[in-house]
């Protein structure tokens, strides 16, 4: 039985639905796999198993060396931008003073020309006229400044000679920010966290495959569990045990240190520049077909 003519027809001036579907037209969705999701025991900066982990009050975990290096680079960048902003302000002030001086000089010249504009200027006793002629209000001679300006004028119709607009340096913020949550972050606001390691599951003491458990219910911690930590002592629990025991007893289950409900911080899992977590485990791309070319231009799908 012959196939449908509409699916085999490719001589139309537009794409049919079947042709668009074969070319991948529209929004393409793909569920992210395990390799695209950051593990809970990985640093948010280097994406490797953390060493001496530090946590912020939003629940983002970093290696101590990574976050210190990040904050130091941010401070250096802030100092550099502040110096550039100060230099720009100084330059603008000098230009403003120069404009005022030029304006005053023009006012003086205009006053002088208004009072002596009709009197010719002579250079010798024989009353020979100067080559420059009259310099009064009716003079049309081009001055040296105007000649220099005309000689160095940029040609706006040539891309190589087009004048560039001056880049204005804005005043930068003076506070460092968290590289993951983009909120203000200081070094003293970070606190160390401590995971309870499962020694029974490890085969060798030098093994790199470490597993961690909740010190309360002894459940192995994975990405499927929501974790919480105490900013007062840094011990990590699963969220169920933290809400069931710590919030009620106001004391840490490991070190018996008193704590408050505000000391409980939920640890963020996953979520980097290219990974998702929670309900956002689906990558979407929108392919738009160029007019008449048959080529697709891929761009991220618009958020709704």
């Amino acid at each position: 039985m012959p196939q449908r003519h509409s699916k085999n027809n490719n001589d139309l001036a537009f794409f049919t639905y079947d042709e668009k579907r074969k070319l991948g037209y529209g929004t393409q969705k793909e569920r992210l796999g395990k390799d695209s999701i950051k593990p809970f025991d990985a640093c948010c900066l280097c994406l490797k198993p953390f060493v001496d982990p530090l946590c912020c009050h939003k629940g983002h975990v970093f290696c101590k060396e990574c976050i210190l290096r990040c904050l130091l680079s941010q401070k250096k960048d802030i100092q550099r931008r502040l110096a550039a902003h100060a230099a720009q302000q100084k330059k603008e002030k000098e230009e403003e003073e120069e404009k005022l001086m030029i304006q005053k000089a023009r006012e003086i010249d205009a006053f002088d020309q208004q009072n002596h504009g009709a009197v010719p200027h002579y250079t010798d006793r024989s009353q020979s006229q100067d080559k420059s002629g009259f310099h009064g209000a009716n003079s049309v001679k081009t001055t040296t400044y105007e000649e220099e300006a005309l000689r160095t004028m940029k040609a706006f119709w040539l891309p190589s000679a087009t004048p560039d607009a001056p880049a204005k340096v804005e005043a930068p913020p003076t506070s460092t920010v968290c590289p993951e949550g983009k909120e203000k972050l200081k070094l003293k606001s970070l606190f160390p966290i401590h995971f309870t390691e499962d020694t029974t599951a490890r085969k060798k003491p030098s093994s790199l495959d470490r597993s961690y458990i909740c010190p309360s219910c002894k459940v192995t911690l994975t990405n499927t569990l929501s974790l919480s930590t105490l900013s007062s002592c840094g011990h990590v629990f699963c969220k169920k045990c933290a809400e069931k025991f710590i919030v009620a007893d106001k004391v840490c289950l490991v070190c018996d240190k008193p704590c408050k409900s505000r000391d409980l911080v939920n640890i963020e899992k996953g979520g980097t520049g290219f990974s998702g977590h929670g309900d956002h485990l689906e990558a979407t791309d929108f392919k738009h077909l160029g007019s008449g070319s048959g080529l697709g231009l891929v761009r991220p799908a618009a958020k709704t």
Side-chain angles (χ1 to χ4, degrees):
M1 183 175 179
Q3 297 181 354
R4 293 178 60 184
H5 175 71
S6 61
K7 292 188 175 182
N8 300 326
N9 187 11
N10 55 3
D11 58 350
L12 299 177
F14 55 89
F15 288 105
T16 62
Y17 172 76
D18 189 67
E19 291 172 346
K20 291 179 180 180
R21 188 177 61 178
K22 290 180 179 179
L23 289 173
Y25 176 81
T27 302
Q28 306 295 323
K29 297 182 180 181
E30 182 181 356
R31 184 174 176 83
L32 298 175
K34 182 179 179 181
D35 296 336
S36 300
I37 303 174
K38 183 182 75 65
F40 73 94
D41 58 346
C43 173
C44 293
L45 292 175
C46 63
L47 303 181
K48 297 180 181 179
F50 45 63
V51 179
D52 297 332
L54 295 178
C55 183
C56 67
H57 288 280
K58 294 294 183 180
H60 302 110
V61 183
F62 311 94
C63 294
K64 185 176 182 179
E65 182 179 358
C66 295
I67 190 61
L68 291 180
R69 188 181 302 172
C70 178
L71 294 179
L72 181 61
S73 64
Q74 288 187 30
K75 289 183 179 180
K76 289 183 178 179
D77 184 64
I78 289 173
Q79 292 177 358
R80 179 186 59 81
R81 294 172 63 183
L82 285 174
H85 182 66
Q88 183 184 16
Q89 285 186 334
K90 183 179 179 181
K91 184 179 179 181
E92 291 178 354
K93 186 177 180 181
E94 293 176 355
E95 291 178 353
E96 188 68 23
E97 293 177 355
E98 185 178 359
K99 287 181 180 179
L100 291 176
M101 293 177 61
I102 294 175
Q103 184 178 2
K104 289 182 179 179
R106 288 180 177 176
E107 291 177 357
I108 294 175
D109 292 342
F111 178 78
D112 186 53
Q113 290 179 4
Q114 184 178 4
N115 293 314
H116 306 87
V119 180
H121 294 274
Y122 302 102
T123 58
D124 53 3
R125 294 182 179 180
S126 61
Q127 297 182 356
S128 60
Q129 189 177 6
D130 189 276
K131 296 180 180 180
S132 60
F134 293 97
H135 292 276
N138 298 326
S139 178
V140 294
K141 180 183 179 298
T142 304
T143 61
T144 307
Y145 174 78
E146 293 175 349
E147 290 179 354
E148 182 69 18
L150 291 173
R151 187 174 62 85
T152 60
M153 181 180 293
K154 298 294 183 68
F156 63 89
W157 59 88
L158 297 177
S160 59
T162 303
D164 299 330
K168 190 173 182 180
V169 181
E170 301 292 340
T174 57
S175 58
T176 55
V177 297
C178 177
E180 188 69 15
K182 303 305 179 183
E183 69 272 357
K184 293 183 179 180
L185 180 65
K186 295 183 179 180
L187 182 59
K188 62 181 181 180
S189 63
L190 297 171
F191 59 92
I193 59 176
H194 309 285
F195 284 84
T196 305
E197 190 173 350
D198 187 8
T199 56
T200 59
R202 295 179 58 188
K203 298 180 180 179
K204 297 181 180 180
S206 60
S207 177
L208 298 177
D209 298 332
R210 298 181 180 180
S211 59
Y212 302 99
I213 61 173
C214 173
S216 177
C217 60
K218 307 300 180 182
V219 174
T220 303
L221 302 182
T222 60
N223 270 13
T224 58
L225 295 177
S226 299
L227 307 179
S228 300
T229 182
L230 290 172
S231 59
S232 56
C233 59
H235 292 104
V236 180
F237 307 88
C238 64
K239 191 174 182 180
K240 292 183 179 180
C241 294
E243 293 178 351
K244 186 176 181 179
F245 301 107
I246 298 178
V247 176
D249 299 338
K250 307 293 184 182
V251 64
C252 178
L253 302 178
V254 178
C255 60
D256 295 334
K257 185 176 181 179
C259 61
K260 298 180 180 180
S261 300
R262 62 186 181 185
D263 296 334
L264 197 64
V265 178
N266 295 326
I267 297 179
E268 292 288 339
K269 56 182 179 180
T272 62
F274 54 87
S275 66
H277 66 91
D279 298 333
H280 305 285
L281 295 177
E282 193 175 46
T284 58
D285 281 333
F286 180 80
K287 180 174 288 187
H288 174 68
L289 299 180
S291 58
S293 63
L295 301 178
L297 302 177
V298 178
R299 60 181 177 84
K303 295 183 179 180
T304 57

